[in-house]
Amino acid sequence: MAPWLLCFAVLLPACAQNEPKIIERPVVINLPDVPEQFRSCPGLPTRPAADAMQSDAAEYVILLELALVECHSDLEGLNTYLTTLRAELNI
C-alpha cells in the first residue's frame, strides 16, 4: 500500500490548478520615416590625379573636411530625432 501512497503524493501536484499565464500581444508601432537628410552622407570628392598641383590637393582636403562635417551634423540630427521620437512614444 505504501507504493500507491508514494505514487499519489508524486502525482498530486500535477493536478493542482495554477493561475493561467497571460500572454500579451505585441504592440505594433508604426514609426515615421527618418527624414532623407539624415539617411545619407555626401559623396566623397574625386581624388586629384597623381600629377595634380598642391592647390588641387588642398582643395581636395577641404572638400573631404566639409563632407565629414556634414555627415557628423546629419548623425547628430538623427540622434536628436530618434531621442525625441523615443520620448514621445515612451520606448
Side-chain angles (χ1 to χ4, degrees):
M1 184 129 152
W4 287 104
L5 185 59
L6 180 61
C7 183
F8 181 73
V10 170
L11 295 176
L12 184 62
C15 296
Q17 291 185 355
N18 295 330
E19 291 291 321
K21 292 184 180 182
I22 298 174
I23 301 174
E24 294 184 21
R25 291 183 179 206
V27 177
V28 177
I29 300 175
N30 293 321
L31 297 176
D33 287 335
V34 174
E36 178 65 34
Q37 68 202 39
F38 298 141
R39 290 191 281 156
S40 64
C41 289
L44 295 176
T46 305
R47 290 177 58 182
D51 60 346
M53 299 179 63
Q54 284 186 347
S55 60
D56 295 329
E59 182 180 355
Y60 174 71
V61 170
I62 291 170
L63 292 174
L64 278 177
E65 179 69 22
L66 291 174
L68 174 72
V69 168
E70 185 176 341
C71 196
H72 276 263
S73 174
D74 289 349
L75 287 176
E76 287 176 16
L78 178 61
N79 287 332
T80 302
Y81 174 77
L82 292 176
T83 301
T84 304
L85 187 61
R86 286 186 184 120
E88 290 174 2
L89 298 174
N90 294 323
I91 55 173

